[in-house]
Amino acid sequence: MNISDNGTNSSKNSYESHAREDTNPNGSIGGTLLRAISEILQSLLCIEIEKEMFIEIGCYFYRVSVVIKELQINRNTPTNAIEILQSLSRRVDSVKSFTTQIEKNAKKIVVSDVHNVVQQIEGAVRNIGENLSILPSLTYGKQDYVERAAKALSEEMKDASFLGRLGQNSEMKQKLHVLNPGDLKRGERKQVDEDLYSVDVEVSAAGIQFSDTSQTYVSDTLESYPMVNRNVSKSSSAGSSLMALPQFAHTEPLYGTFFCPLSKKVMEDPVTLDSGVTYERKEITEWLDKLEDSEEIFCPKSGQKLKNKNLNANGALKATIDEWKERNETARIKVARAALSLASSDNMVLEAVNDLQTVCKTKAYNKVQVRNIGMLPLLGNCLQYRNRSVRCATLELLRQLAEDDEDGKEVIAKTIDISTIIKMMSSSHKPIRHASLLVLLELSTSQFLCGKIGTVAGGILMLITAKYRQSSDAFTSEKADEILKNLETLSDNIKLMAENGYWKPLLTHLVEGSEQMRIEMATYVGEIVLGPDSKNYVAERASPALIQMVQNGNSLSRNASFKALKQISCCHPNAAILVEAGIMQIMVDEMFTRKSHNEPMNSKTEATAILANILESGLDVESFQVNKYGHTMASDYILYNIIIGIKNSTPDELNINLIRIVLCLIKFPKASSTVVSVIKESEASYNLIELTNNPNEEIGIASIKLLVILSSFMGHTLSDRLCKTQGQPQSLIPNPDEITRITEKHAVSANFLAKLPHQNLTLNLALVNSSVILVIMKSISQIQMAGARSSRHAGTYFEGLVGILVRLTTTLYDHQILFTARKYNFASVFTELLTRSFSDEIQRQSAIGLENLSIQSISLSRPPQKKTTKFFKIVFLRKCISIKLSKGEEFSLCPVHRGLCSSQETFCLLDAEAIDQLMSCLDHENVGVIEAALSALSTLLDDRVNVEQSISFLSEKRAIHHVLNVVKDHKEEVLWQKAFWMIEKFLIRGGEESVSNISQDRLFPATLVSAFHHGDDRTRQMAEKILRHLNRIPNLAHTVTFTM
């Protein structure tokens, strides 16, 4: 046995002892004694002279330490016993001083000194023996086996003699051993009780339970000691086996009459023949059966001829044997407890546990004795052993102790950590895995313990995993399934099973359980988030039962089932299952027909939420009949009732659900026209606009999203009604100094204003006359500095803000809007946005804005008038433009617009330096960006400007090459048409140089031919014109037609 391993077991017992020291008088004194003894052993093992004799002295002190350790268990210690223990402590301290003296002076000590020290130690040992002998019986409590061990040790120590052996160098053959009745003490040794503890050197060295800091040192020292190490290495040594302990299995002599003469075993059912000899009933019956054909029948033992086969039960002998067995089994339990307390080796522990299994099988009361003697904490320690056999045997013993014993189960659950047993289910060692499952199966038959097993973190998940391990371990799968069925007795466990993916128990109780159980299960369905593997399974099994509960249940039942159906409907794949189960009709009935004033919940809110979830799944239910009158979800009656229900007075959650339903239905062609018609003719649009300022942000977002969709059907109506609503439209764009972050509501609000018809002058003027434009410019500046990705919704919000500026460029004919565009230098703003390239949409909108501004440049550009003009400075963002006008100054006119131009006043693209940015957009992959850039550049080729100068300027920028690349790289008709228009302008007004540049492109003609063959009518016409200019097809104007 490895001494260091035993040290681990010793530390467990030492910990239990120290935990009792505060309340047990023996504890504090015992702790002091154990520490002193450990130091004595440390010193004795380091002494080289008279080594064998000093080891023998150490064995005595080891045995004393074990007795003291057992005494620490008893809490009821008489006062005189404490005084005796204190005296014993003083004796031990004196021995410690002597052994320490020898250890320190080992090199210079002489024989006379050794003689004096040994003499002192011998006296101390005898005095310790005297102290042990006078300890009162109450000191040991109910531990009578400890008392017998202490008495035996006392007798030996009182007669100890070491002086006579000084100088003898013979090997120490006398190992103190367990005394048997009849052993003599120096010729006349009197008979003593059997000692509980072996004094074999190995046991003493390996089994001592060291304390505090000396433990590690002493263990190491023992291992290095030659004799101790030699004994420890024996595979069948006494210290590593239960056989090292006294054999209390026979606390009194085994009488020969106990044994059956045939089987040679102790009889269970003794019967007597006429010969007077007693046998085991089974054995003698078999014997007599063999002689059935014989003429003579005789007794097997005596040979006496028998007159008959009568078997007379020997009740007296049976009672005697039973009493003997009872005493024997009690003693064996105590021996096993002592072995588990010492735990000097794995073999000893294993034998003790196996013996307990045997004892527990013989009689049910023995299990009670095992529990009452304090065995369970020791068995709990055994579950921590590395030795697989020990753990497996311990699990089997725990199963035996729990079997058919409710009290036993509860005691085990209170003492043993169930989580340890559960962890063993995942052991790679199959016997341990199976044994742990059997223990849990037995414990799970108790409803009280079902709750405790369920509360172990991960316990039910491990059982579910084991249940599905059928292919690799059928036994584990079967037992795990049985345990789970037992755990179903508690609803909390059923919920845990569902949370871990095992829904069958919950759904079974939902369908087949009592009303209370069904309500509880429905509540769990509403609380548990469905996993991807269980969504459809739960919907298929639970939906019919839940719908039935909605229709026929009481208030609690309906409430639970509504929440469950809402949870199920959140998973879009479940929509078809719910519709097939008939949920649409039930929910519509709840919305419009059912009225219940005594329910604690609003069924309309829950019904609309479920309908909204189903519609958002994308399922086509437009023509699905939802009531007995033949109405569908797209019917005027249904839509009208839904829309008029959207108002400020409606509960927030109901409003949200109604809007969600309308958002889904408006996507269907038939329903959309009805929705628009109802909203136009009613006050619903005002209600929606008012809801945009609702404190509940979710309502505001939902209502704005609906308004955005409606803007494509009734944009001007919404624009006018928005302006008529108090606080609008400025409340939709918050001041950036007043918000901490950009939310989804900010983003959808900005996009709503951007998507309303751009030419609506009423809305544009409302934006200009309020502070909205200033707020927008400030917000754009802040987002430019922070970045469009500074928050989740910043990019979308930014696009909406730019879109609002673009909408103003469509009504520049109004002087207030024109003033605003000049004030904030829109041309420079859009040019910079093109430069920064925040997103494709922002680039597209900026190009559109520049197109609208450039169109106005034609009318805004005027020849300069000679007048005195003050010097002024315009500042926009980081770009400063200064224009100085003075009398008599020579003005340079814009070659394109033929007048005095600037980016701020006339929105000239040349002065804004936007041409390069627009041409770079032609290389973009986004079709919308390219289309907008082409449209903006096309304004420079308008017939109202100097086209020749524009072409000259664009040619210097190699614009035609970018345009040709657009034609070659893209196949979209809209891009071809805009590019062809520009190319034709270059061919007609650009002169030979432009024609040459276009003609030299080798791939362009093939693209023209493809457009001519496959384009739409307008594209084909434009391609044909260009082909004629390039002389690729005949010019019909110069063709002579002959007719016959």
Side-chain angles (χ1 to χ4, degrees):
M1 186 195 73
N2 190 306
I3 297 176
S4 62
D5 290 343
N6 184 63
T8 303
N9 297 331
S10 300
S11 66
K12 295 176 184 176
N13 295 333
S14 178
Y15 170 81
E16 293 174 358
S17 175
H18 290 313
R20 293 189 291 265
E21 286 187 6
D22 293 338
T23 58
N24 184 4
N26 288 349
S28 58
I29 300 175
T32 303
L33 279 168
L34 289 173
R35 284 189 287 273
I37 291 173
S38 67
E39 293 177 16
I40 290 173
L41 290 176
Q42 175 182 325
S43 299
L44 288 173
L45 291 174
C46 293
I47 299 173
E48 295 296 329
I49 58 174
E50 299 294 343
K51 182 178 296 183
E52 290 83 358
M53 183 187 65
F54 282 115
I55 287 179
E56 183 179 349
I57 295 172
C59 288
Y60 279 117
F61 282 98
Y62 161 74
R63 296 169 69 191
V64 172
S65 71
V66 177
V67 173
I68 294 170
K69 193 70 178 173
E70 292 292 340
L71 290 179
Q72 287 182 303
I73 299 174
N74 187 25
R75 297 178 178 270
N76 301 317
T77 305
T79 305
N80 59 338
I82 297 176
E83 295 174 355
I84 295 170
L85 288 174
Q86 290 173 342
S87 174
L88 183 64
S89 179
R90 289 192 293 271
R91 304 293 184 189
V92 172
D93 285 340
S94 66
V95 174
K96 184 176 72 172
S97 65
F98 297 143
T99 56
T100 304
Q101 179 184 350
I102 294 180
E103 181 187 5
K104 289 182 179 178
N105 302 304
K107 293 184 178 180
K108 55 184 180 179
I109 194 169
V110 297
V111 176
S112 60
D113 293 334
V114 175
H115 183 278
N116 292 334
V117 172
V118 172
Q119 185 178 17
Q120 297 290 337
I121 293 176
E122 183 180 282
V125 169
R126 292 179 179 179
N127 290 332
I128 291 172
E130 291 289 344
N131 289 138
L132 290 176
S133 67
I134 61 177
L135 279 171
S137 297
L138 288 176
T139 308
Y140 305 98
K142 296 180 180 180
Q143 303 179 91
D144 53 345
Y145 62 96
V146 180
E147 181 180 3
R148 289 194 293 271
K151 297 295 184 184
L153 177 60
S154 169
E155 294 297 329
E156 290 186 38
M157 295 184 75
K158 285 191 292 185
D159 296 326
S161 177
F162 309 116
L163 286 174
R165 306 207 336 250
L166 279 175
Q168 299 179 7
N169 196 28
S170 60
E171 181 181 355
M172 184 180 66
K173 297 181 180 179
Q174 181 186 4
K175 293 183 180 179
L176 300 179
H177 56 280
V178 178
L179 295 177
N180 295 318
D183 282 356
L184 297 180
K185 176 178 63 178
R186 288 188 185 82
E188 285 189 17
R189 178 180 297 273
K190 58 186 177 182
Q191 185 173 351
V192 297
D193 287 334
E194 297 173 4
D195 189 7
L196 180 61
Y197 307 103
S198 168
V199 294
D200 188 290
V201 175
E202 178 191 354
V203 179
S204 301
I208 181 67
Q209 307 201 8
F210 301 110
S211 60
D212 300 338
T213 57
S214 64
Q215 177 179 336
T216 304
Y217 178 79
V218 177
S219 297
D220 295 340
T221 306
L222 288 171
E223 285 186 333
S224 63
Y225 197 82
M227 178 173 288
V228 175
N229 197 44
R230 182 168 59 253
N231 290 329
V232 171
S233 65
K234 296 178 182 179
S235 61
S236 60
S237 61
S240 60
S241 171
L242 190 62
M243 299 304 294
L245 299 177
Q247 298 309 302
F248 278 120
H250 306 95
T251 56
E252 57 185 87
L254 271 170
Y255 301 101
T257 55
F258 287 5
F259 293 91
C260 173
L262 294 175
S263 67
K264 309 302 181 184
K265 296 179 180 178
V266 178
M267 290 181 283
E268 297 286 341
D269 185 9
V271 292
T272 305
L273 298 177
D274 287 345
S275 62
V277 181
T278 301
Y279 298 90
E280 175 66 44
R281 182 184 294 274
K282 178 182 177 183
E283 299 294 333
I284 191 61
T285 301
E286 292 177 356
W287 168 270
L288 294 175
D289 289 343
K290 292 178 182 178
L291 299 176
E292 186 175 355
D293 298 332
S294 302
E295 295 181 358
E296 295 183 350
I297 302 173
F298 57 89
C299 175
K301 182 178 181 181
S302 65
Q304 179 180 345
K305 186 177 179 181
L306 300 175
K307 297 180 180 179
N308 55 59
K309 296 182 180 181
N310 294 337
L311 303 177
N312 302 310
N314 193 337
L317 179 58
K318 178 175 173 59
T320 302
I321 292 174
D322 289 343
E323 291 175 3
W324 174 85
K325 284 183 178 180
E326 183 176 348
R327 293 191 297 272
N328 175 51
E329 289 167 356
T330 301
R332 287 169 67 184
I333 292 173
K334 292 179 179 179
V335 171
R337 186 196 182 285
L340 294 179
S341 296
L342 292 174
S344 59
S345 72
D346 290 350
N347 286 340
M348 175 180 284
V349 172
L350 183 58
E351 288 183 32
V353 174
N354 287 335
D355 195 45
L356 286 172
Q357 289 182 24
T358 303
V359 171
C360 289
K361 287 177 183 178
T362 59
K363 189 166 54 177
Y365 180 70
N366 289 339
K367 296 193 291 186
V368 178
Q369 290 193 81
V370 169
R371 297 200 308 266
N372 292 343
I373 202 172
M375 195 79 73
L376 290 178
L378 300 175
L379 294 177
N381 293 337
C382 292
L383 292 177
Q384 307 296 333
Y385 274 53
R386 290 187 177 182
N387 188 301
R388 290 175 172 177
S389 298
V390 171
R391 282 183 284 157
C392 195
T394 303
L395 288 168
E396 173 58 25
L397 177 56
L398 288 173
R399 186 197 65 76
Q400 282 183 258
L401 295 174
E403 191 175 20
D404 300 326
D405 189 341
E406 289 299 317
D407 293 336
K409 291 180 176 65
E410 291 192 17
V411 173
I412 289 172
K414 291 176 181 177
T415 310
I416 305 295
D417 186 0
I418 293 182
S419 63
T420 302
I421 301 175
I422 290 176
K423 289 176 184 176
M424 291 184 180
M425 289 194 307
S426 60
S427 172
S428 59
H429 189 54
K430 185 179 290 187
I432 291 179
R433 191 164 65 242
H434 291 179
S436 63
L437 282 164
L438 289 173
V439 175
L440 287 172
L441 179 58
E442 192 61 45
L443 295 177
S444 66
T445 58
S446 167
Q447 187 169 3
F448 169 76
L449 296 184
C450 282
K452 195 160 187 178
I453 294 172
T455 56
V456 175
I460 286 182
L461 176 60
M462 292 181 67
L463 284 168
I464 294 171
T465 304
K467 169 183 166 61
Y468 292 112
R469 196 187 281 178
Q470 188 171 4
S471 58
S472 60
D473 190 345
F475 181 87
T476 296
S477 175
E478 178 186 349
K479 297 306 172 186
D481 186 47
E482 292 179 23
I483 295 169
L484 288 169
K485 287 180 180 177
N486 290 339
L487 296 181
E488 288 180 27
T489 55
L490 291 182
S491 57
D492 287 345
N493 288 340
I494 296 175
K495 181 181 180 183
L496 287 170
M497 292 177 197
E499 288 176 341
N500 287 284
Y502 183 42
W503 281 89
K504 183 178 178 181
L506 188 150
L507 296 176
T508 301
H509 285 84
L510 176 65
V511 176
E512 303 173 2
S514 64
E515 183 178 11
Q516 181 59 37
M517 179 62 75
R518 295 178 69 189
I519 292 173
E520 202 165 0
M521 296 303 104
T523 301
Y524 292 156
V525 175
E527 293 174 354
I528 301 172
V529 178
L530 301 178
D533 299 331
S534 57
K535 291 177 181 178
N536 290 348
Y537 174 69
V538 174
E540 290 172 357
R541 290 288 307 275
S543 297
L546 292 171
I547 292 173
Q548 185 181 13
M549 291 171 66
V550 169
Q551 289 179 289
N552 306 322
N554 57 28
S555 177
L556 291 176
S557 178
R558 281 168 50 79
N559 188 20
S561 56
F562 267 121
K563 293 186 183 302
L565 288 169
K566 182 179 177 182
Q567 178 74 291
I568 292 173
S569 65
C570 286
C571 305
H572 290 169
N574 292 338
I577 298 171
L578 291 169
V579 171
E580 186 177 352
I583 197 171
M584 296 292 289
Q585 297 91 331
I586 307 299
M587 295 302 107
V588 171
D589 181 62
E590 292 289 336
M591 285 176 60
F592 304 128
T593 308
R594 185 181 179 100
K595 292 183 180 180
S596 180
H597 304 288
N598 58 351
E599 291 188 0
M601 48 87 68
N602 188 346
S603 62
K604 283 189 177 182
T605 301
E606 302 297 335
T608 52
I610 294 169
L611 279 175
N613 290 338
I614 293 173
L615 291 171
E616 286 174 350
S617 69
L619 197 65
D620 185 2
V621 294
E622 183 183 20
S623 58
F624 193 87
Q625 185 173 330
V626 294
N627 61 20
K628 61 183 179 181
Y629 303 108
H631 293 142
T632 67
M633 289 301 296
S635 297
D636 294 352
Y637 169 78
I638 299 294
L639 290 173
Y640 178 80
N641 281 282
I642 291 174
I643 292 171
I644 64 171
I646 303 173
K647 57 185 69 173
N648 267 330
S649 58
T650 303
D652 289 350
E653 190 175 354
L654 180 56
N655 263 332
I656 294 171
N657 296 332
L658 290 173
I659 294 173
R660 288 171 59 200
I661 291 173
V662 175
L663 280 169
C664 295
L665 293 175
I666 202 171
K667 297 175 184 177
F668 298 108
K670 182 179 178 182
S672 62
S673 59
T674 305
V675 170
V676 172
S677 176
V678 172
I679 292 177
K680 274 185 177 181
E681 295 172 2
S682 65
E683 300 295 317
S685 59
Y686 288 106
N687 292 334
L688 287 172
I689 293 171
E690 289 176 359
L691 288 174
T692 60
N693 290 327
N694 193 289
N696 187 322
E697 188 164 312
E698 190 176 356
I699 294 178
I701 293 171
S703 59
I704 294 172
K705 285 182 177 179
L706 179 55
L707 288 170
V708 169
I709 295 175
L710 290 171
S711 64
S712 59
F713 297 98
M714 46 183 293
H716 288 287
T717 301
L718 291 178
S719 298
D720 295 340
R721 293 181 179 180
L722 178 66
C723 294
K724 292 177 182 178
T725 304
Q726 185 177 2
Q728 298 291 7
Q730 56 268 28
S731 65
L732 295 174
I733 307 297
N735 192 318
D737 298 332
E738 298 175 357
I739 60 175
T740 56
R741 63 185 181 90
I742 298 172
T743 65
E744 183 182 5
K745 184 177 180 180
H746 298 150
V748 296
S749 298
N751 278 277
F752 170 53
L753 289 175
K755 290 183 183 299
L756 287 171
H758 287 188
Q759 291 80 16
N760 190 281
L761 184 60
T762 302
L763 177 57
N764 289 350
L765 286 174
L767 292 170
V768 168
N769 292 331
S770 63
S771 58
V772 172
I773 305 304
L774 176 62
V775 170
I776 289 174
M777 299 305 296
K778 187 184 294 186
S779 299
I780 289 176
S781 178
Q782 289 189 4
I783 295 176
Q784 283 179 320
M785 290 186 289
R789 296 182 181 179
S790 57
S791 70
R792 179 183 176 185
H793 302 287
T796 308
Y797 183 53
F798 195 10
E799 292 172 1
L801 296 178
V802 175
I804 295 172
L805 295 183
V806 171
R807 69 172 295 115
L808 297 180
T809 63
T810 62
T811 53
L812 291 173
Y813 55 84
D814 183 87
H815 69 280
Q816 295 183 59
I817 298 175
L818 178 62
F819 175 80
T820 301
R822 286 172 169 173
K823 177 181 179 181
Y824 295 107
N825 200 344
F826 277 15
S828 295
V829 171
F830 292 136
T831 301
E832 185 172 353
L833 291 175
L834 280 178
T835 306
R836 301 288 294 273
S837 302
F838 290 101
S839 71
D840 293 352
E841 179 61 19
I842 290 177
Q843 284 189 303
R844 187 187 73 83
Q845 290 182 358
S846 299
I848 293 173
L850 288 173
E851 176 193 2
N852 295 336
L853 293 174
S854 182
I855 291 173
Q856 297 299 318
S857 297
I858 300 172
S859 58
L860 294 176
S861 179
R862 294 283 189 272
Q865 298 179 1
K866 294 183 179 181
K867 64 178 181 179
T868 302
T869 306
K870 296 182 180 179
F871 177 80
F872 63 97
K873 188 176 184 181
I874 302 173
V875 180
F876 173 74
L877 300 177
R878 300 185 183 89
K879 182 175 180 181
C880 298
I881 300 175
S882 60
I883 300 176
K884 184 177 180 182
L885 300 176
S886 59
K887 188 175 181 179
E889 184 179 353
E890 294 291 334
F891 298 105
S892 58
L893 300 179
C894 175
V896 175
H897 298 110
R898 303 187 184 95
L900 182 63
C901 283
S902 71
S903 64
Q904 184 166 10
E905 292 296 318
T906 63
F907 316 122
C908 179
L909 297 184
L910 277 66
D911 190 71
E913 300 179 358
I915 304 302
D916 290 335
Q917 306 307 324
L918 289 170
M919 285 196 300
S920 67
C921 290
L922 298 181
D923 299 327
H924 207 284
E925 295 180 357
N926 187 287
V927 175
V929 174
I930 299 172
E931 179 187 2
L934 287 172
S935 297
L937 291 171
S938 296
T939 60
L940 299 178
L941 301 177
D942 189 277
D943 290 336
R944 292 173 293 174
V945 303
N946 191 331
V947 178
E948 287 76 10
Q949 289 295 328
S950 291
I951 291 175
S952 176
F953 179 80
L954 292 173
S955 297
E956 293 177 4
K957 301 287 186 180
R958 295 177 56 82
I960 193 62
H961 293 285
H962 290 280
V963 176
L964 290 172
N965 287 336
V966 169
V967 175
K968 291 181 291 183
D969 295 341
H970 297 275
K971 305 299 181 182
E972 291 78 11
E973 298 277 353
V974 64
L975 297 184
W976 276 357
Q977 291 173 10
K978 289 185 179 294
F980 287 165
W981 186 87
M982 292 185 66
I983 291 170
E984 186 180 8
K985 285 288 186 180
F986 271 82
L987 289 172
I988 296 174
R989 309 288 289 272
E992 294 296 330
E993 183 180 356
S994 294
V995 174
S996 175
N997 289 336
I998 295 171
S999 301
Q1000 289 176 4
D1001 192 305
R1002 298 176 58 188
L1003 299 178
F1004 178 61
T1007 305
L1008 274 175
V1009 172
S1010 177
F1012 179 71
H1013 287 302
H1014 305 293
D1016 60 20
D1017 291 341
R1018 188 163 183 265
T1019 302
R1020 291 179 62 188
Q1021 291 175 7
M1022 299 177 76
E1024 182 181 357
K1025 288 182 179 180
I1026 296 173
L1027 287 170
R1028 293 186 191 283
H1029 283 296
L1030 298 176
N1031 294 320
R1032 295 285 180 169
I1033 59 176
N1035 191 336
L1036 298 179
H1038 302 287
T1039 301
V1040 179
T1041 303
F1042 297 93
T1043 60
M1044 297 186 61

